[in-house]
Amino acid sequence: MLSAASIKDHIKSGAVTWDGELRGDSLLLKLGSPIQPLVDPGAVVDLADQTSIDTLYGPQITDWSTYDLAPGQMVLAAASEPVSLGPDVTGLIGGLSHLARVGLAVHVTSPFVLPGWSGHLTLELVNECPATLRLHHGMPLARLVLQLRGGGHAAATHPFYGRPTDLQSRYADELGDPNKR
């Protein structure tokens, strides 16, 4: 794990691009825009069919200051500041324990941010609390811990990196039908 001093050196050298705040030995991820609620499409969602996956998403909300997240509800949200990682830097997203203790999960998938990432990270916010939780634009949600990647080979790029307004899953577009591979 990179120390705060090492992170600052990586930012100064251009190996990491970050205009946000540091929190200890990590980048502090804050809630930005847009946010996009998931909705019940009223039918089974076929994960091998991108059109079916797309029915899960309600309209994006871009102009907001607070959002009330109901119990059991999930929204996708962009981190407020973009980040870029060079070919030898990888990151791990971790939620803030203060929020976990009130039932807010802020990143429910793989914590890994691969080398070469550039753009606004998408966070998956889920309310596991029995009460509605009020989210505030710009509130701290998570940390991005950085570490060096070994191996000496160039990092692979990803076709969905850095698309700031496309928060939705592209699972079927990327991986397709498992029976046809």
Side-chain angles (χ1 to χ4, degrees):
M1 180 171 112
L2 297 182
S3 67
S6 185
I7 291 170
K8 289 175 185 175
D9 289 343
H10 278 75
I11 291 170
K12 194 179 294 182
S13 74
V16 171
T17 303
W18 175 252
D19 291 329
E21 185 179 337
L22 293 181
R23 178 182 166 108
D25 292 336
S26 60
L27 311 182
L28 184 63
L29 301 177
K30 296 180 181 179
L31 184 55
S33 287
I35 59 174
Q36 187 165 29
L38 274 73
V39 297
D40 182 356
V44 171
V45 173
D46 182 351
L47 296 178
D49 176 8
Q50 190 62 50
T51 302
S52 182
I53 292 171
D54 292 344
T55 65
L56 279 171
Y57 303 101
Q60 287 188 353
I61 302 166
T62 56
D63 186 23
W64 65 281
S65 59
T66 63
Y67 183 87
D68 290 346
L69 190 63
Q73 184 183 11
M74 179 175 179
V75 296
L76 304 177
S80 60
E81 292 89 13
V83 62
S84 294
L85 302 180
D88 293 323
V89 180
T90 184
L92 296 164
I93 298 172
L96 299 180
S97 60
H98 296 295
L99 296 175
R101 292 177 187 145
V102 297
L104 182 63
V106 300
H107 192 66
V108 297
T109 64
S110 169
F112 302 107
V113 181
L114 299 176
W117 168 267
S118 183
H120 292 263
L121 292 167
T122 300
L123 302 172
E124 302 91 9
L125 308 177
V126 179
N127 182 359
E128 296 294 341
C129 180
T132 295
L133 298 173
R134 179 160 293 152
L135 305 174
H136 295 265
H137 193 278
M139 68 184 284
L141 289 176
R143 300 166 21 137
L144 183 64
V145 175
L146 302 179
Q147 59 188 20
L148 292 179
R149 172 188 167 276
H153 300 288
T157 59
H158 194 282
F160 303 115
Y161 275 6
R163 295 164 60 174
T165 60
D166 189 7
L167 305 176
Q168 300 171 195
S169 169
R170 295 284 152 231
Y171 180 82
D173 281 349
E174 182 178 351
L175 300 172
D177 186 339
N179 297 318
K180 296 180 181 175
R181 287 201 275 153

